[in-house]
Amino acid sequence: MRHANVAIFIPHNGCKNKCSFCDQRNITGVKKQPTTQEVRQILQKAAIEIKNSAKNFLKPEIAFFGGSFTSIDRDYMISLLEVACDYLNIGAFVGIRISTRPDSIDDEIIKILKHYGVKTVELGAQSMDDEVLLENNRGHTANDVKLAAEKIKKAGINLGLQMMTGLYKSNAEKDKNTALEFIKLEPSIVRIYPTVVVKGTELEKLYNIGEYKPMSFEETINLCSELLLLFEKNNITVIRLGLHDSKELRENIVSGVFHPAFRELCESRLYYLDAINKIKEIELAQKCSISDVTVKINPKSKSKFVGQKKENLRKFAQLGYNIKIILEEKMKGREILVSR
């Protein structure tokens, strides 16, 4: 079934700090705040499309992204929620989703969000390391994330957490620790964004003087693949892995890791590692090296197992393994069965 939230971007509005890495205008391509009338037009068009769509179309949420929603002018925030609530009341959407800062959640805000039918709150935590937060001018602490998460969950609102890998003053170990701290907070969903250097940001200045060195592509794939698996093992859904592709983003990236199919690359890496581990187990058990290997996978998983431009197959071949793929409908998800 198809399911795509209707995203309404509010770039930079409500942001208390100019974070080292951030320029929402160049990332999203949105350069002005939407009026309530514009929001109503967007939702009306989406409601009509949903009504006229096939029966297997899942009703989406209305998502306010791009800024710190609960920090914007209170009257403006409520006016946007009122418009969104009108479309909830007619059954066109199933809920409202917002993103905001961890230090912009309090009891009053929670009460307002509940009143207008907000179903999910995503916190832009980015890191759970206070030094990393300070050096990137986030303006909040790891404890602020914990306190906000507690209030959101206590109110019965779904909790989402967003993290960034490879930030200034961070490293793989600190990023893994952020993931572990996220898991303790038991969010329903997580987003993982590798850091990119965007024109006009403080991070660009640090990059240009050699103070900031982005993680390599290979390091980032390895790390994010590990984080994806870690969250999955703890029953936490990773709803996005990598920045959303846009013309504006491509035009303004200076450095860092970006790929339009970044998640697929990470999942492909997991297939490869899983297969290699299973092959090694067979060799260890049989006390001999093998060359011909049969792998059973779900048909939907074949392209990811093979890898982009058949990268995984080439890597198997370099190790001396000749892979025969058998497609089995009964195989689930990333499940694979390896045999001689």
Side-chain angles (χ1 to χ4, degrees), residues 187-216:
S188 301
I189 56 171
V190 163
R191 297 178 192 260
I192 305 173
Y193 297 115
T195 299
V196 296
V197 181
V198 177
K199 292 178 184 178
T201 62
E202 183 64 26
L203 198 59
E204 183 192 18
K205 297 177 183 178
L206 294 171
Y207 172 76
N208 286 338
I209 64 174
E211 178 66 20
Y212 171 68
K213 182 180 179 181
M215 276 189 181
S216 71

Side-chain angles (χ1 to χ4, degrees), residues 93-325:
F93 302 91
V94 295
I96 300 171
R97 174 189 298 259
I98 69 161
S99 66
T100 194
R101 294 174 54 86
D103 55 347
S104 294
I105 292 290
D106 57 29
D107 293 337
E108 181 188 2
I109 286 293
I110 290 290
K111 186 176 180 180
I112 293 171
L113 299 181
K114 287 282 288 183
H115 175 75
Y116 286 102
V118 172
K119 185 178 181 180
T120 304
V121 174
E122 295 189 35
L123 297 176
Q126 316 314 358
S127 175
M128 293 297 281
D129 184 285
D130 282 337
E131 179 192 13
V132 174
L133 294 172
L134 179 64
E135 293 291 344
N136 287 277
N137 197 33
R138 284 294 296 165
H140 67 80
T141 66
N143 194 54
D144 289 328
V145 179
K146 296 175 183 178
L147 293 175
E150 182 181 350
K151 288 182 183 296
I152 291 164
K153 293 187 66 179
K154 186 176 179 180
I157 299 173
N158 294 330
L159 172 66
L161 295 173
Q162 302 170 4
M163 69 174 289
M164 296 179 66
T165 62
L167 281 167
Y168 176 54
K169 294 293 184 180
S170 192
N171 53 42
E173 182 180 353
K174 289 183 177 182
D175 292 341
K176 291 175 189 176
N177 185 66
T178 288
L180 293 173
E181 290 298 315
F182 275 17
I183 290 168
K184 292 177 184 177
L185 298 176
E186 299 182 331
S188 301
I189 56 171
V190 163
R191 297 178 192 260
I192 305 173
Y193 297 115
T195 299
V196 296
V197 181
V198 177
K199 292 178 184 178
T201 62
E202 183 64 26
L203 198 59
E204 183 192 18
K205 297 177 183 178
L206 294 171
Y207 172 76
N208 286 338
I209 64 174
E211 178 66 20
Y212 171 68
K213 182 180 179 181
M215 276 189 181
S216 71
F217 198 90
E218 188 69 12
E219 288 173 325
T220 304
I221 291 289
N222 287 335
L223 172 61
C224 289
S225 299
E226 185 177 347
L227 297 182
L228 175 60
L229 192 59
L230 181 61
F231 284 123
E232 288 181 346
K233 286 182 176 179
N234 285 275
N235 298 313
I236 297 169
T237 302
V238 178
I239 61 173
R240 174 158 285 280
L241 184 50
L243 284 168
H244 180 72
D245 194 11
S246 72
K247 176 176 176 287
E248 290 76 16
L249 177 62
R250 287 174 180 257
E251 289 175 346
N252 287 281
I253 287 181
V254 176
S255 184
V257 175
F258 169 76
H259 191 284
F262 185 75
R263 184 188 186 114
E264 183 172 336
L265 295 178
C266 291
E267 291 185 339
S268 182
R269 178 62 53 87
L270 290 177
Y271 277 109
Y272 173 77
L273 293 175
D274 191 19
I276 287 294
N277 288 335
K278 286 180 167 61
I279 292 170
K280 296 299 182 183
E281 288 174 2
I282 293 173
E283 291 181 327
L284 182 62
Q286 299 186 3
K287 298 180 180 180
C288 67
S289 297
I290 62 177
S291 56
D292 293 328
V293 179
T294 298
V295 178
K296 292 183 179 180
I297 58 174
N298 186 284
K300 295 179 181 178
S301 302
K302 182 179 178 181
S303 63
K304 292 178 182 177
F305 178 81
V306 169
Q308 286 206 345
K309 298 180 180 179
K310 299 183 179 181
E311 178 186 8
N312 283 350
L313 294 186
R314 284 199 301 273
K315 289 163 69 174
F316 286 127
Q318 288 170 359
L319 294 174
Y321 299 123
N322 176 40
I323 304 295
K324 178 183 178 182
I325 299 174

